[in-house]
């Protein structure tokens, strides 16, 4: 007999909470994964039963009983619950928050997990006339009773016909004991069909990849599908998924950002004659719940979603696909900091199903897994339809004048491509008009009052914005120090747009960045103007590097490669190489050969020479060798303890104490580095610092974290800071 319930509650504490079973409920009948209402402090909250235990550390008198059981069957099946417990452990995060990440909001607030239809019936007491009669003047209530007398039970549709305020009236009748609410599962959806739309015949390389994935059906295997943009990776996913669906199983597909790649979902929808469950951040709570239910019941054979869809419930899992696996958006950067890509590997292994990671620019971690024999490499070398890869050239900004950010040879190339009927795409990862407002007379530049950063000029709005904390101010007419005019200095996409409009006044131009496509539907409309050919010149940010097909673009210009060359993050150069290759991949997708120009002041930088001469593979080989020499991931494991507070010395004091604890616990294996102030120390008014743990492999790191974090939590200094741990 294990009478104690270990329950996960959505609070940032790294533990479960002990309760007794609700009165009249046999704890032996409760399955892990069911939700319960529990008293928590003065509140009543939902929790998820994680395990039952024989004893509790709490004295009997302090042990409270749960209030009620919500679910008959678990909302999280045993395997998913096990994955979540493992993730809480791996990332050292509060289990309640980890489990909450896997549940749509309505379920966290107690709504039924089943699709239910509300129905009402007269109570037995009302039918036998045991209740005091309703006042003759209560017309509305009497009318409802009359409707209910005529049938066994009525649904919302029927009752709504009596009055617009019918819910109030029904509630009144429920309170007086006249009416009971019934909840029943809604009618089952009609059985789905597996018809699959036709696609192009696979190339021999695609065929090999599809066969390899199909041969792994029913067991765990890990694949890295490496092919440049347009080489037909999506076609491989579609075929591999079609086989899974034909076997009556489900496929889970993770994508970086659905809002940026609307074509992808429609391509899936066109191929499968079955409902897709689509999970992403702009759904309403109820839409998300509906998709979650369709995934859980197995009604949706294909589940597509962004990062958090890795926690989607699956009735009959058969395959997991992670598209653009290198994309940073798979990493959750706040709260429960997890990597959906890494969890996809862990989940596929637990489920015993194949997992396919696809990319034109695989992460160094994934390439290393191939080298170690942990994943099978499937390559799609050639582009389909005989298209050739683009040629890449560097433009040396030190030699060539750059009128407002665009060098003369670049202007000539743009002219040439426009003249030949091509479209031109210019990429700059900086929105706004200019990154600085500068006073030439005294050297002042507009600072963010809350960050160690400068404010970005947004000319059209006449505002200064901080891109780190959201500070927003009008552009001052004059320098506040010397009262001379201040000038925008440097380039953002808004300014490039202005320059292009001057250089090419007759050429239709579109800017695509977060500011330009803020309104709902604006991105789709802008993309449509590009693909229809109405727009010939296109300037934009990171948004343009993701998945869009621009078949007529023949020239891609990277306006400034240098921002990423000297980044402080050890992954900065990997990100830059991926971005350049991804944006270059937008050129010459169809029959037209593409050209790529990269503007830089550092044309001898090895990253750029590797990319231009040997492509991404050459870069990756060199970068892996560098990581190995420096003992960085994937050849080591790291975790960062971050802290922030409103006074500079406070996070450093906390981290110093944390360091002492770590050194006392760490064996030979784990190195403790720091604390050091963060690369941007002051952000949004808080001072940031960090401590790095570095280990040769995961287990010594995990062993240390398991003993260290409980001690860190207990530090008196911990109460004076906001702190978090980031594993990997
Ligand atoms: P990726 O996902 O690698 O960018 P896609 O699968 O989107 O590549 O393929 C790029 C284009 O080539 C698409 O328009 C697709 O329909 C087409 N395509 C893919 N495979 C084939 C094939 N075997 N034969 C003809 N066209 C193909
Ligand atoms: Zn000045
Ligand atoms: Zn700021």
């Amino acid at each position: 007999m294990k009478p104690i319930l270990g329950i996960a509650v959505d609070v940032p504490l790294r533990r479960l909470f002990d309760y007794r079973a609700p009165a009249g409920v046999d704890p032996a009948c409760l399955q892990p994964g069911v939700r319960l209402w529990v008293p928590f402090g003065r509140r009543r909250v939902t929790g998820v039963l994680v395990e039952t235990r024989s004893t509790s550390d709490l004295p009997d008198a302090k042990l409270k009983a749960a209030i009620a059981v919500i679910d008959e069957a678990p909302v999280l099946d045993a395997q998913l619950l096990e994955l979540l417990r493992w993730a809480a452990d791996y990332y050292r995060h509060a289990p309640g928050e980890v489990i909450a990440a896997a549940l749509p909001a309505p379920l966290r607030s107690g709504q039924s997990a089943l699709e239910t239809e509300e129905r009402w019936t007269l109570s037995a007491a009302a039918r036998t006339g045991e209740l005091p009669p309703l006042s003759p003047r209560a017309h509305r209530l009497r009318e409802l009773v009359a409707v209910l007398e005529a049938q066994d039970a009525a649904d919302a549709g029927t009752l709504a016909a009596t009055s617009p305020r019918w819910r109030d009236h029904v509630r009144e009748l429920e309170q007086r004991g006249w009416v009971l609410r019934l909840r029943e599962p809604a009618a089952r959806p009609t059985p789905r069909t597996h018809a699959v739309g036709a696609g192009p015949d696979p190339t021999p390389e695609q065929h090999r990849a599809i066969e390899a994935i199909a041969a792994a059906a029913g067991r765990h295997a890990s694949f890295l599908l490496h092919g440049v943009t347009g080489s037909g990776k999506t076609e491989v996913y579609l075929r591999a998924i079609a086989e899974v669906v034909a076997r009556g199983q489900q496929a889970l597909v993770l994508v970086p950002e659905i809002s940026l790649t609307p074509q992808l979902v429609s391509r899936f929808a066109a191929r499968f004659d079955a409902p897709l469950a689509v999970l992403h951040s702009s759904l309403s709570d109820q839409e998300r719940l509906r998709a979650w239910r369709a995934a859980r019941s197995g009604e949706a054979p294909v589940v597509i979603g962004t990062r958090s869809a890795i926690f989607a419930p699956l009735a009959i899992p058969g395959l997991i696909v992670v598209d653009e696996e290198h994309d940073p958006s798979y990493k959750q950067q706040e709260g429960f900091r997890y990597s959906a890509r890494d969890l996809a590997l862990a989940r596929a292994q637990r489920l015993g199903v194949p997992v396919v990671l696809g990319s034109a620019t695989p992460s160094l971690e994934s390439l290393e897994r191939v080298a170690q024999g942990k994943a099978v490499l499937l390559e799609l070398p050639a582009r389909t339809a005989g298209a050739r890869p683009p040629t890449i050239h560097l433009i040396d900004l030190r030699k060539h004048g750059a009128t407002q950010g665009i060098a003369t040879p670049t202007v000539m190339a743009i002219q040439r491509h426009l003249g030949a009927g091509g479209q031109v795409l210019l990429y700059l990862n900086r929105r706004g008009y200019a990154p600085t407002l500068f006073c030439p007379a005294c050297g002042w530049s507009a600072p963010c009052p809350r960050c160690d950063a400068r404010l970005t000029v947004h000319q059209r709005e006449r505002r200064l914005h901080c891109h780190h904390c959201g500070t927003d101010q009008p552009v001052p007419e004059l320098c506040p120090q010397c009262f001379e005019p201040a000038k925008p200095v440097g380039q953002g996409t808004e300014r490039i747009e202005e320059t292009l409009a001057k250089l090419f006044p007759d050429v239709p131009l579109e800017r695509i960045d977060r500011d330009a496509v803020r309104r709902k539907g604006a991105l789709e409309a802008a993309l449509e103007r590009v693909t229809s050919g109405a727009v010939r010149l296109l300037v934009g940010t990171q948004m343009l590097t993701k998945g869009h097909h621009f078949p007529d673009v023949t020239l891609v210009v990277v306006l400034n490669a240098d921002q990423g060359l000297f980044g402080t993050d050890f992954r900065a150069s990997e990100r830059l190489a991926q971005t350049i290759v991804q944006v270059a991949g937008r050129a010459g997708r169809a029959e037209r050969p593409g050209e790529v120009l990269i503007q830089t002041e550092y044309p001898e930088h090895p990253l750029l020479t590797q990319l231009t001469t040997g492509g991404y593979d050459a870069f990756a080989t060199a970068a892996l060798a560098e990581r190995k020499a420096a003992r960085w991931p994937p050849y080591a494991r790291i975790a960062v303890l971050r802290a922030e507070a409103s006074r500079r010395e406070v996070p450093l004091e906390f981290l110093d104490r944390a360091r002492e604890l770590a050194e006392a616990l760490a064996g030979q294996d784990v190195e403790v580095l720091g604390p050091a102030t963060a690369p941007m120390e002051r952000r949004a008014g808080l001072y940031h610092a960090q401590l790095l743990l570095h280990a040769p492999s995961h287990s010594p790191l995990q062993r240390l974290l398991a003993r260290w974090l409980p001690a860190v939590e207990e530090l008196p200094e911990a109460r004076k800071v906001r702190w978090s741990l980031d594993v990997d």
Side-chain angles (χ1 to χ4, degrees):
M1 177 70 172
K2 291 182 171 177
I4 309 297
L5 311 182
I7 291 185
V9 175
D10 184 7
V11 292
L13 296 171
R14 285 176 182 74
R15 44 178 287 224
L16 299 176
F17 296 89
D18 287 357
Y19 289 90
R20 277 184 282 111
V25 173
D26 178 358
C29 298
L30 289 178
Q31 292 180 59
V34 299
R35 291 170 302 158
L36 295 97
W37 285 111
V38 295
F40 195 81
R42 290 193 189 159
R43 291 182 300 153
R44 191 182 81 134
V45 300
T46 63
V48 172
L49 177 63
V50 173
E51 61 187 18
T52 51
R53 320 185 229 253
S54 331
T55 57
S56 171
D57 294 338
L58 284 181
D60 221 31
K62 284 217 161 173
L63 203 57
K64 291 187 195 151
I67 299 161
V69 182
I70 300 172
D71 304 299
E72 273 174 41
V75 285
L76 295 167
D77 65 45
Q79 258 164 336
L80 192 47
L81 190 61
E82 183 48 41
L83 178 78
L84 293 166
R85 292 188 74 174
W86 176 84
D89 216 47
Y90 183 93
Y91 292 107
R92 294 279 137 203
H93 198 78
E97 290 189 343
V98 172
I99 286 175
L103 293 175
L107 296 186
R108 298 201 295 272
S109 53
Q111 192 174 323
S112 171
L114 299 172
E115 243 170 301
T116 55
E117 203 180 302
E118 293 171 303
R119 283 147 64 84
W120 288 266
T121 183
L122 276 193
S123 67
R127 288 195 196 274
T128 54
E130 287 165 39
L131 294 174
L134 295 169
S135 145
R137 272 178 298 166
H139 294 296
R140 294 296 192 186
L141 304 190
R142 295 172 74 94
E143 199 178 336
L144 273 177
V145 169
V147 170
L148 289 168
E149 258 167 354
Q151 46 201 162
D152 283 346
D155 62 12
T158 311
L159 296 187
T162 60
S163 144
R165 306 282 309 270
W166 69 276
R167 277 202 181 265
D168 296 344
H169 306 145
V170 167
R171 202 168 304 127
E172 182 65 32
L173 285 170
E174 281 176 29
Q175 275 162 11
R176 295 193 191 188
W178 278 80
V179 166
L180 293 175
R181 181 152 61 143
L182 309 171
R183 272 176 171 269
E184 296 169 3
R188 293 293 310 152
T190 46
R192 64 178 203 253
T193 56
H194 296 317
V196 170
D201 287 336
T203 61
E205 289 87 7
Q206 285 175 324
H207 187 73
R208 259 201 303 281
I210 296 159
E211 289 291 295
I213 299 165
R219 65 184 168 86
H220 174 61
S222 184
F223 298 97
L224 176 62
L225 181 61
H226 181 196
V228 297
T229 310
S231 61
K233 293 183 297 299
T234 309
E235 200 52 45
V236 171
Y237 307 147
L238 287 166
R239 295 261 172 187
I241 292 167
E243 303 227 0
V244 167
V245 173
R247 285 199 302 273
Q249 295 181 316
Q250 289 171 290
L252 172 63
V253 183
L254 298 187
V255 295
E257 273 154 288
I258 282 182
S259 58
L260 296 184
T261 51
Q263 308 103 317
L264 185 84
V265 173
S266 44
R267 209 162 146 195
F268 273 76
R271 200 59 80 82
F272 297 102
D273 181 19
L276 300 180
V278 183
L279 289 152
H280 56 89
S281 57
S282 48
L283 296 179
S284 75
D285 285 350
Q286 291 305 320
E287 286 168 333
R288 180 183 302 275
L289 180 58
R290 218 171 298 135
W292 184 89
R293 283 171 175 154
R296 180 168 182 254
S297 66
E299 181 198 343
V302 183
V303 181
I304 303 184
T306 47
R307 184 173 60 223
S308 67
I310 188 54
F311 302 118
L314 298 169
I316 25 176
L319 175 69
I320 300 180
V321 172
V322 184
D323 187 28
E324 308 290 358
E325 61 92 22
H326 65 279
D327 197 288
S329 75
Y330 286 124
K331 177 69 196 289
Q332 166 77 33
Q333 300 282 20
E334 51 195 47
F336 170 32
R337 292 165 171 77
Y338 64 92
S339 156
R341 191 253 331 267
D342 295 350
L343 284 177
L345 296 172
R347 189 169 184 194
Q349 192 170 18
R350 267 146 222 282
L351 291 172
V353 302
V355 55
V356 181
L357 308 186
S359 178
T361 54
S363 63
L364 298 181
E365 279 79 4
S366 293
L367 290 172
E368 177 56 18
R369 292 185 75 247
V370 169
Q372 290 182 1
K374 292 181 185 163
V376 175
L377 182 64
L378 305 172
E379 284 196 279
L380 298 181
R383 290 181 176 214
T384 57
R388 278 167 288 158
T391 56
I392 305 185
H393 295 290
L394 301 178
I395 304 282
D396 187 345
L397 286 177
R398 293 167 310 184
K399 278 199 221 138
H400 302 288
T403 339
Q404 308 289 1
I406 309 175
T408 314
T410 309
V411 174
M412 286 158 58
I414 296 174
Q415 235 146 17
R416 185 156 39 81
H417 280 264
L418 290 175
Q423 279 175 318
V424 176
L425 184 161
L426 297 99
Y427 165 79
L428 180 64
N429 198 24
R430 198 187 263 150
R431 62 196 172 85
Y433 187 80
T436 312
L437 183 70
F438 178 73
C439 170
C442 76
W444 173 85
S445 56
C448 174
R450 309 175 66 220
C451 303
D452 294 333
R454 294 186 177 141
L455 294 173
T456 301
V457 183
H458 287 247
Q459 189 85 326
R460 198 158 305 166
E461 297 175 275
R462 302 287 308 154
R463 309 288 296 178
L464 295 174
H465 285 300
C466 175
H467 289 183
H468 305 282
C469 72
T471 288
D472 177 30
Q473 303 175 352
V475 176
E477 293 295 324
L478 298 174
C479 166
Q481 281 192 164
C482 71
F483 302 95
E484 295 291 330
K487 295 199 311 198
V489 170
Q491 313 294 325
T493 45
E494 199 187 324
R495 192 171 211 173
I496 296 293
E497 181 187 24
E498 184 187 275
T499 304
L500 288 171
K502 279 191 204 133
L503 287 169
F504 305 99
D506 305 322
V507 181
L509 168 66
E510 186 87 38
R511 170 164 64 96
I512 296 189
D513 58 30
R514 204 139 44 89
D515 304 313
V517 299
R518 194 152 281 166
R519 270 176 304 108
K520 198 173 157 65
L523 176 63
E524 285 78 358
L527 291 174
E528 172 55 30
R529 285 191 291 277
V530 178
T531 42
S532 73
V535 161
R536 309 310 301 171
L537 267 172
L538 178 59
V539 55
T541 57
Q542 204 82 16
M543 271 191 169
L544 288 179
T545 65
K546 314 226 172 185
H548 306 294
H549 296 216
F550 301 126
D552 288 339
V553 167
T554 56
L555 173 64
V556 166
V557 181
V558 176
L559 285 166
N560 186 348
D562 300 345
Q563 296 159 32
L565 284 177
F566 306 102
T568 47
D569 186 324
F570 78 97
R571 287 196 176 94
S573 62
E574 181 184 353
R575 298 254 182 275
L576 176 64
Q578 286 164 345
T579 303
I580 291 176
V581 174
Q582 290 285 345
V583 69
R586 309 300 120 191
R589 291 201 40 145
E591 308 70 37
R592 298 153 175 263
E595 186 178 350
V596 177
L597 299 178
I598 301 176
Q599 300 194 144
T600 177
E601 289 195 20
Y602 305 92
E604 296 87 21
H605 194 286
L607 183 149
L608 296 174
T609 53
Q610 285 151 8
L611 280 182
T612 45
T613 55
Y616 185 76
D617 291 345
F619 160 79
T621 307
L624 278 167
E626 228 172 77
R627 295 265 189 100
K628 191 168 204 168
R631 294 191 303 122
W632 277 101
Y635 304 100
R637 293 305 190 108
I638 55 171
V640 178
L641 181 67
R642 298 198 180 91
E644 58 198 61
S646 52
R647 290 204 343 265
R648 168 176 272 139
E649 60 286 1
V650 175
L652 289 167
E653 278 163 14
F654 163 72
L655 293 173
D656 271 328
R657 294 300 316 279
R659 180 194 170 105
E660 288 162 19
L661 289 174
E663 281 176 336
L665 293 168
Q668 298 284 313
D669 286 344
V670 185
E671 265 184 279
V672 189
L673 303 163
T677 55
M680 184 187 296
E681 186 183 7
R682 200 166 57 98
R683 196 152 17 101
L686 297 174
Y687 290 88
H688 296 247
Q690 60 198 32
L691 184 71
L692 182 78
L693 302 187
H694 182 283
S697 64
H698 190 66
S699 32
L701 183 61
Q702 270 298 331
R703 273 198 303 277
L704 172 63
L705 292 177
R707 294 167 61 204
W708 180 50
L709 275 196
V712 169
E713 269 172 350
E714 293 299 315
L715 285 173
E717 287 85 355
R719 264 173 263 134
K720 300 180 195 152
V721 295
R722 270 218 323 245
W723 64 272
S724 62
L725 184 77
D726 194 337
V727 176
D728 295 339

